[in-house]
Amino acid sequence: EVSVTSMTTREVLATRVTEALNNLFPDEESPDPQLTAATRPEFGDYQSNAALSLAKKKKMNPLQVAEEIAKHTKTDDICEQPQVAPPGFVNFTLKKEYVALLLQKMLADPQRLGIAPREKKQRVLVDFSSPNIAKEMHVGHLRSTIIGDCICRVLEFLGHDVLRINHVGDWGTQFGMLIAYLKQVKPDALIGSTTTSLGDLVEFYKAAKKKFDEDSEFQETARREVVALQAGDESSVRAWSFLCEQSRKEFQQIYDMLDVKLTERGESFYNEWLGEVCKELEDSGVAVRDEGALCIFVGGHTGRQGKAQPLIVRKSDGGFNYATTDMAAIRYRVKEDKADRILYITDAGQALHFSQVFEAAKRMGYAKPETKLEHVPFGLVQSEGGKKFKTRQGETVKLKDLLQEAVRRAEEDFRNRLQAEGREESEEYIKRVAHVIGIGAVKYADLKNNRTSNYQFSYTKMLSLQGNTAPYMLYAFARIQGIYRKGDIDLNQGHQAENVQFILDDPTELSLAKMLLQLEEMLFLLERDLKPNILCDYMFELSQRFNQFYENCPVLKAETVDLRTSRLALCKLTANTLALCLHLLGIPTLERI
Ligand code: ARG
C-alpha cells in the first residue's frame, strides 16, 4: 500500500537502503546509503552508490554487492524493481502511482505546495547589505542585498527564525573628518534643523577627504573629533547622528525599490563592548601583544614579508577596528540573539577576514562548537566585456540610477510590445509591469549566476524575453496561469484537489511531474549551500519541461474529462511552483506581461 510521509522521497529511499545494508552487513556501524538524485536520466530518478565503497572495504565484487542491495531493499510500494548498473550503482525509478499521489498532496496545499516547515527550527542571523555611512552604496552592496534577501526568504519559508541584520559601517576614524567638515560647511545641521540636506553624500565625502588630504590643520581637527565622538561629546554625537540619518534615508530608497526588509544594527551598536572584548581576548591568551598592537594569530596566514599575518583587534594607537567589532558582534549574536547559524554575505575579498574572525571566535568561546559561522562570498559585478563597472564618464554607477534605468527600459519594451500586439493596458498597470520586470530583471540576473563567479551586467540580456531571465519566467508564469484559467475549473479548494487523479501516461507528463516533485529537495539543497542559482536553474528546467508537455499533450482539448482535469492540474501546479520560486527570489508575479 502506497502512503505519503513527511520525509522527502530521497529520505524515504535512504532509510530503505539503510535497512537493507543493516541486514546485509550487520557488523557495519551506521552504513551510509549514499543516496543521491540520479546523475543520468537512464539511471532512473535516484541512485545509491553504497555498493562501491562497501565492496572495496570488504574486498567483494561491487556488482554483486549492488545486486544484493537491490534485492534486499524494500521499495515495491514506491519504486519499480531497482536496477543495477556497472560498476555497482543501484538505480531507482519512482512508480507513476506514487508520483501521482505526491502531486495530489502538493495540489491540495497551494500555499506551501506540500512542503512542511522544518521541525528543527534554527535561529539564523543573516548579516547582509551592510553599506557604509556617507559612502556610496555600490554594486557590491547591491549583490549582498539581493543574495541576502533571497537566502532569508528561503530560510523563512522553511520555517527558520531569521534575523535580517544590516551591519552598516557607521563607526570608525573616517567620522572625524566628516564631522569636522560638517561643522564647517553646515553648522545649521547641528542645531537640529531638520530641513538641512547634504545633497549628494558621496560628493560630501569626497570634499571632506580632499580637505583632509590637503590641510594639516584640518587633519588635527578631524583627529580631535574622533576622540570627542568616542568620548560622547554632545555636538559631535549630534553631527554623527545627522550624517547617519542622511545616509539612512538614501539607503532606504534603495531598499524600498527592491522591497527588502532589514534591521539596522551598525558597527556603533557594539561600541560599548569593544574594550571588554579586547580584555577577554587578552586575559584568555587568545590575543597577544605584538609591536604594541593586540593580535590574534589564527591559521597559517602569512603576509607580504612571509611574516605571520594576525588578526589585529586593537591597533598600537589603542584604536579599535573592523575586526574588533566583528568579534563583539559574534559574542552578542550567540549570547543575546541565540543564533545557531550566522551568515555573512559579502564579496569574496573578505574571505580571509572572516576565516580569521570565525576561528578566533571559536577559540575564545564566543561561538559555541555547534554554532555555524559561514561566510557566503560572491564575485564582482562587471560591465559587458568584463571591465570595471563604471558610467561612460568613468564615474561609479549610482544604484538608484542603475535600478531606475532598468525600470525605464522595461517600460519601453512593454509599451513596444503592447503596440505591436495591438493591446491596451492602463497607465497604472504599465507602471507596475515596468517596475516588476525592471527590478526583477536586475535581481534575477544576479541570482542566476553561481554567486562565487563574477557576473557581467547587461540590461539587454537581463531584460530579454528569451533565455533564463526574469521576463521569461514572469511570462511563463502568466501564460501557464492563463491556460489553467481558460480551463474554468477550480482546483484551489483542498477537497477538490485531493480528488484529482493524475494521469501520467505521456513521457512529457511524467517528466514534468517529477520535476515538480523536486521542489522540496531543491530548497533543502539551497538551505544548505546558500546558492540561489539552483533555484533559477530549477525554474528554467521546469519551464522547459512544461513546454515539452504542452507541445505534446492537448490540455483544453484533451480526449477525456479526467485527462483534461489532470493536465489542467499540472498547469496549476507548474504555475504555483513558479510563483513560489519567484517569490523566494523577491520577484512578484504579474497576470499579463
Ligand atoms: N560594511 C562592510 C563593507 O562595506 C560590510 C560589512 C559586512 N559585515 C560584517 N559583519 N563585517 O565592506
mmCIF file of all heavy atoms in Angstrom, residues 414 417-418 421 423 425 429 433 436-437 465 470-479 589-593:
data_model
loop_
_atom_site.group_PDB
_atom_site.id
_atom_site.type_symbol
_atom_site.label_atom_id
_atom_site.label_comp_id
_atom_site.label_asym_id
_atom_site.label_seq_id
_atom_site.Cartn_x
_atom_site.Cartn_y
_atom_site.Cartn_z
ATOM 1 N N PHE A 414 7.843 47.150 -22.818
ATOM 2 C CA PHE A 414 6.448 46.753 -22.634
ATOM 3 C C PHE A 414 5.527 47.574 -23.548
ATOM 4 O O PHE A 414 4.631 47.027 -24.187
ATOM 5 C CB PHE A 414 6.045 46.910 -21.163
ATOM 6 C CG PHE A 414 4.695 46.340 -20.843
ATOM 7 C CD1 PHE A 414 4.336 45.056 -21.245
ATOM 8 C CD2 PHE A 414 3.761 47.085 -20.128
ATOM 9 C CE1 PHE A 414 3.079 44.511 -20.947
ATOM 10 C CE2 PHE A 414 2.505 46.556 -19.830
ATOM 11 C CZ PHE A 414 2.168 45.274 -20.235
ATOM 12 N N ARG A 417 5.776 46.341 -27.002
ATOM 13 C CA ARG A 417 5.084 45.065 -27.159
ATOM 14 C C ARG A 417 3.579 45.273 -27.266
ATOM 15 O O ARG A 417 2.917 44.684 -28.112
ATOM 16 C CB ARG A 417 5.431 44.159 -25.975
ATOM 17 C CG ARG A 417 5.244 42.704 -26.222
ATOM 18 C CD ARG A 417 6.094 41.827 -25.314
ATOM 19 N NE ARG A 417 5.859 42.048 -23.901
ATOM 20 C CZ ARG A 417 6.813 42.388 -23.034
ATOM 21 N NH1 ARG A 417 8.049 42.556 -23.459
ATOM 22 N NH2 ARG A 417 6.541 42.566 -21.764
ATOM 23 N N LEU A 418 3.054 46.132 -26.411
ATOM 24 C CA LEU A 418 1.618 46.417 -26.438
ATOM 25 C C LEU A 418 1.211 46.949 -27.807
ATOM 26 O O LEU A 418 0.209 46.523 -28.390
ATOM 27 C CB LEU A 418 1.256 47.453 -25.364
ATOM 28 C CG LEU A 418 1.310 46.972 -23.911
ATOM 29 C CD1 LEU A 418 0.993 48.123 -22.966
ATOM 30 C CD2 LEU A 418 0.347 45.814 -23.678
ATOM 31 N N GLU A 421 1.347 44.298 -30.560
ATOM 32 C CA GLU A 421 0.297 43.292 -30.448
ATOM 33 C C GLU A 421 -1.090 43.910 -30.430
ATOM 34 O O GLU A 421 -2.094 43.206 -30.262
ATOM 35 C CB GLU A 421 0.522 42.446 -29.180
ATOM 36 C CG GLU A 421 1.783 41.599 -29.265
ATOM 37 C CD GLU A 421 2.168 40.964 -27.940
ATOM 38 O OE1 GLU A 421 1.357 41.005 -26.991
ATOM 39 O OE2 GLU A 421 3.286 40.427 -27.861
ATOM 40 N N ARG A 423 -2.434 45.664 -28.134
ATOM 41 C CA ARG A 423 -3.088 45.516 -26.829
ATOM 42 C C ARG A 423 -3.154 46.852 -26.123
ATOM 43 O O ARG A 423 -2.432 47.779 -26.460
ATOM 44 C CB ARG A 423 -2.270 44.564 -25.943
ATOM 45 C CG ARG A 423 -2.369 43.120 -26.324
ATOM 46 C CD ARG A 423 -1.192 42.337 -25.763
ATOM 47 N NE ARG A 423 -1.146 42.391 -24.298
ATOM 48 C CZ ARG A 423 -0.090 42.007 -23.578
ATOM 49 N NH1 ARG A 423 1.002 41.573 -24.181
ATOM 50 N NH2 ARG A 423 -0.105 42.080 -22.265
ATOM 51 N N GLU A 425 -3.378 48.652 -22.105
ATOM 52 C CA GLU A 425 -3.327 48.478 -20.656
ATOM 53 C C GLU A 425 -3.410 49.868 -20.027
ATOM 54 O O GLU A 425 -3.030 50.856 -20.657
ATOM 55 C CB GLU A 425 -2.014 47.809 -20.223
ATOM 56 C CG GLU A 425 -1.842 46.360 -20.659
ATOM 57 C CD GLU A 425 -2.718 45.359 -19.910
ATOM 58 O OE1 GLU A 425 -3.457 45.777 -18.991
ATOM 59 O OE2 GLU A 425 -2.673 44.165 -20.259
ATOM 60 N N TYR A 429 -1.180 50.036 -14.759
ATOM 61 C CA TYR A 429 -0.675 48.678 -14.947
ATOM 62 C C TYR A 429 0.681 48.696 -15.657
ATOM 63 O O TYR A 429 1.583 47.942 -15.308
ATOM 64 C CB TYR A 429 -1.688 47.823 -15.719
ATOM 65 C CG TYR A 429 -1.311 46.357 -15.733
ATOM 66 C CD1 TYR A 429 -1.392 45.592 -14.570
ATOM 67 C CD2 TYR A 429 -0.834 45.743 -16.890
ATOM 68 C CE1 TYR A 429 -1.015 44.257 -14.562
ATOM 69 C CE2 TYR A 429 -0.455 44.405 -16.893
ATOM 70 C CZ TYR A 429 -0.546 43.662 -15.721
ATOM 71 O OH TYR A 429 -0.172 42.347 -15.713
ATOM 72 N N VAL A 433 4.021 46.911 -14.273
ATOM 73 C CA VAL A 433 4.772 45.917 -15.048
ATOM 74 C C VAL A 433 6.232 46.363 -15.186
ATOM 75 O O VAL A 433 7.161 45.577 -14.990
ATOM 76 C CB VAL A 433 4.128 45.717 -16.443
ATOM 77 C CG1 VAL A 433 5.040 44.899 -17.351
ATOM 78 C CG2 VAL A 433 2.775 45.030 -16.297
ATOM 79 N N VAL A 436 8.047 45.839 -11.850
ATOM 80 C CA VAL A 436 8.280 44.423 -11.525
ATOM 81 C C VAL A 436 9.327 43.812 -12.460
ATOM 82 O O VAL A 436 10.253 43.118 -12.014
ATOM 83 C CB VAL A 436 6.960 43.620 -11.580
ATOM 84 C CG1 VAL A 436 7.228 42.121 -11.487
ATOM 85 C CG2 VAL A 436 6.031 44.071 -10.466
ATOM 86 N N ILE A 437 9.205 44.088 -13.760
ATOM 87 C CA ILE A 437 10.166 43.495 -14.699
ATOM 88 C C ILE A 437 11.550 44.115 -14.521
ATOM 89 O O ILE A 437 12.557 43.407 -14.474
ATOM 90 C CB ILE A 437 9.697 43.660 -16.165
ATOM 91 C CG1 ILE A 437 8.414 42.860 -16.379
ATOM 92 C CG2 ILE A 437 10.793 43.185 -17.128
ATOM 93 C CD1 ILE A 437 7.934 42.829 -17.805
ATOM 94 N N LEU A 465 13.216 38.600 -23.301
ATOM 95 C CA LEU A 465 12.101 37.678 -23.033
ATOM 96 C C LEU A 465 12.504 36.231 -23.299
ATOM 97 O O LEU A 465 11.755 35.311 -23.037
ATOM 98 C CB LEU A 465 10.910 38.037 -23.907
ATOM 99 C CG LEU A 465 9.826 38.915 -23.273
ATOM 100 C CD1 LEU A 465 8.767 39.281 -24.288
ATOM 101 C CD2 LEU A 465 9.177 38.222 -22.080
ATOM 102 N N ALA A 470 14.355 37.001 -15.840
ATOM 103 C CA ALA A 470 13.119 37.305 -15.110
ATOM 104 C C ALA A 470 11.936 37.506 -16.057
ATOM 105 O O ALA A 470 10.861 36.939 -15.829
ATOM 106 C CB ALA A 470 13.317 38.518 -14.214
ATOM 107 N N PRO A 471 12.087 38.312 -17.118
ATOM 108 C CA PRO A 471 10.925 38.477 -18.008
ATOM 109 C C PRO A 471 10.428 37.139 -18.557
ATOM 110 O O PRO A 471 9.216 36.910 -18.635
ATOM 111 C CB PRO A 471 11.458 39.361 -19.136
ATOM 112 C CG PRO A 471 12.602 40.090 -18.550
ATOM 113 C CD PRO A 471 13.200 39.196 -17.509
ATOM 114 N N TYR A 472 11.368 36.245 -18.900
ATOM 115 C CA TYR A 472 10.933 34.947 -19.420
ATOM 116 C C TYR A 472 10.141 34.182 -18.363
ATOM 117 O O TYR A 472 9.085 33.609 -18.658
ATOM 118 C CB TYR A 472 12.146 34.123 -19.879
ATOM 119 C CG TYR A 472 11.756 32.716 -20.257
ATOM 120 C CD1 TYR A 472 11.112 32.461 -21.471
ATOM 121 C CD2 TYR A 472 11.968 31.654 -19.384
ATOM 122 C CE1 TYR A 472 10.714 31.179 -21.799
ATOM 123 C CE2 TYR A 472 11.576 30.367 -19.701
ATOM 124 C CZ TYR A 472 10.945 30.134 -20.909
ATOM 125 O OH TYR A 472 10.532 28.865 -21.229
ATOM 126 N N MET A 473 10.613 34.177 -17.136
ATOM 127 C CA MET A 473 9.937 33.435 -16.073
ATOM 128 C C MET A 473 8.577 34.050 -15.751
ATOM 129 O O MET A 473 7.601 33.347 -15.519
ATOM 130 C CB MET A 473 10.793 33.418 -14.799
ATOM 131 C CG MET A 473 11.992 32.539 -14.898
ATOM 132 S SD MET A 473 11.513 30.870 -15.380
ATOM 133 C CE MET A 473 13.096 30.256 -15.866
ATOM 134 N N LEU A 474 8.533 35.389 -15.749
ATOM 135 C CA LEU A 474 7.254 36.064 -15.487
ATOM 136 C C LEU A 474 6.271 35.751 -16.601
ATOM 137 O O LEU A 474 5.076 35.544 -16.373
ATOM 138 C CB LEU A 474 7.485 37.580 -15.381
ATOM 139 C CG LEU A 474 8.170 38.022 -14.081
ATOM 140 C CD1 LEU A 474 8.727 39.426 -14.194
ATOM 141 C CD2 LEU A 474 7.167 37.936 -12.921
ATOM 142 N N TYR A 475 6.801 35.715 -17.819
ATOM 143 C CA TYR A 475 5.965 35.397 -18.960
ATOM 144 C C TYR A 475 5.465 33.956 -18.871
ATOM 145 O O TYR A 475 4.279 33.678 -19.066
ATOM 146 C CB TYR A 475 6.756 35.621 -20.254
ATOM 147 C CG TYR A 475 6.035 35.135 -21.473
ATOM 148 C CD1 TYR A 475 4.973 35.863 -21.998
ATOM 149 C CD2 TYR A 475 6.382 33.934 -22.073
ATOM 150 C CE1 TYR A 475 4.280 35.404 -23.109
ATOM 151 C CE2 TYR A 475 5.697 33.456 -23.174
ATOM 152 C CZ TYR A 475 4.647 34.196 -23.681
ATOM 153 O OH TYR A 475 3.947 33.730 -24.762
ATOM 154 N N ALA A 476 6.371 33.051 -18.544
ATOM 155 C CA ALA A 476 5.990 31.640 -18.423
ATOM 156 C C ALA A 476 4.890 31.478 -17.380
ATOM 157 O O ALA A 476 3.880 30.802 -17.619
ATOM 158 C CB ALA A 476 7.211 30.797 -18.035
ATOM 159 N N PHE A 477 5.052 32.151 -16.251
ATOM 160 C CA PHE A 477 4.022 32.060 -15.215
ATOM 161 C C PHE A 477 2.678 32.554 -15.740
ATOM 162 O O PHE A 477 1.655 31.877 -15.612
ATOM 163 C CB PHE A 477 4.415 32.864 -13.967
ATOM 164 C CG PHE A 477 3.259 33.063 -13.030
ATOM 165 C CD1 PHE A 477 2.866 32.046 -12.176
ATOM 166 C CD2 PHE A 477 2.512 34.247 -13.050
ATOM 167 C CE1 PHE A 477 1.762 32.197 -11.345
ATOM 168 C CE2 PHE A 477 1.411 34.410 -12.226
ATOM 169 C CZ PHE A 477 1.030 33.378 -11.369
ATOM 170 N N ALA A 478 2.670 33.744 -16.334
ATOM 171 C CA ALA A 478 1.413 34.354 -16.797
ATOM 172 C C ALA A 478 0.739 33.466 -17.846
ATOM 173 O O ALA A 478 -0.482 33.276 -17.832
ATOM 174 C CB ALA A 478 1.690 35.751 -17.370
ATOM 175 N N ARG A 479 1.548 32.901 -18.722
ATOM 176 C CA ARG A 479 0.997 32.081 -19.792
ATOM 177 C C ARG A 479 0.372 30.799 -19.225
ATOM 178 O O ARG A 479 -0.748 30.427 -19.570
ATOM 179 C CB ARG A 479 2.141 31.744 -20.753
ATOM 180 C CG ARG A 479 1.828 30.704 -21.774
ATOM 181 C CD ARG A 479 2.946 30.642 -22.805
ATOM 182 N NE ARG A 479 2.947 29.367 -23.504
ATOM 183 C CZ ARG A 479 3.752 28.359 -23.200
ATOM 184 N NH1 ARG A 479 4.633 28.478 -22.221
ATOM 185 N NH2 ARG A 479 3.707 27.232 -23.883
ATOM 186 N N THR A 589 4.627 38.257 -8.986
ATOM 187 C CA THR A 589 4.158 37.787 -10.294
ATOM 188 C C THR A 589 3.227 38.821 -10.938
ATOM 189 O O THR A 589 2.715 39.703 -10.273
ATOM 190 C CB THR A 589 3.381 36.467 -10.156
ATOM 191 O OG1 THR A 589 2.392 36.635 -9.145
ATOM 192 C CG2 THR A 589 4.307 35.341 -9.773
ATOM 193 N N LEU A 590 3.021 38.672 -12.247
ATOM 194 C CA LEU A 590 2.112 39.553 -13.000
ATOM 195 C C LEU A 590 1.112 38.678 -13.746
ATOM 196 O O LEU A 590 1.445 37.575 -14.167
ATOM 197 C CB LEU A 590 2.912 40.378 -14.008
ATOM 198 C CG LEU A 590 3.894 41.399 -13.434
ATOM 199 C CD1 LEU A 590 4.891 41.823 -14.502
ATOM 200 C CD2 LEU A 590 3.138 42.612 -12.876
ATOM 201 N N GLU A 591 -0.087 39.192 -13.913
ATOM 202 C CA GLU A 591 -1.103 38.408 -14.617
ATOM 203 C C GLU A 591 -0.871 38.409 -16.131
ATOM 204 O O GLU A 591 -1.121 37.436 -16.808
ATOM 205 C CB GLU A 591 -2.505 38.942 -14.302
ATOM 206 C CG GLU A 591 -2.908 38.761 -12.849
ATOM 207 C CD GLU A 591 -2.813 37.302 -12.389
ATOM 208 O OE1 GLU A 591 -3.432 36.440 -13.037
ATOM 209 O OE2 GLU A 591 -2.095 37.038 -11.396
ATOM 210 N N ARG A 592 -0.432 39.549 -16.637
ATOM 211 C CA ARG A 592 -0.166 39.655 -18.086
ATOM 212 C C ARG A 592 1.108 40.454 -18.279
ATOM 213 O O ARG A 592 1.331 41.444 -17.595
ATOM 214 C CB ARG A 592 -1.289 40.447 -18.797
ATOM 215 C CG ARG A 592 -2.684 39.987 -18.527
ATOM 216 C CD ARG A 592 -3.705 40.960 -19.115
ATOM 217 N NE ARG A 592 -3.651 42.293 -18.528
ATOM 218 C CZ ARG A 592 -4.167 42.627 -17.348
ATOM 219 N NH1 ARG A 592 -4.782 41.726 -16.615
ATOM 220 N NH2 ARG A 592 -4.058 43.859 -16.885
ATOM 221 N N ILE A 593 1.936 40.018 -19.216
ATOM 222 C CA ILE A 593 3.103 40.870 -19.493
ATOM 223 C C ILE A 593 3.297 41.028 -21.010
ATOM 224 O O ILE A 593 2.741 40.308 -21.787
ATOM 225 C CB ILE A 593 4.415 40.398 -18.827
ATOM 226 C CG1 ILE A 593 5.135 39.338 -19.639
ATOM 227 C CG2 ILE A 593 4.166 39.894 -17.435
ATOM 228 C CD1 ILE A 593 6.587 39.199 -19.195
#
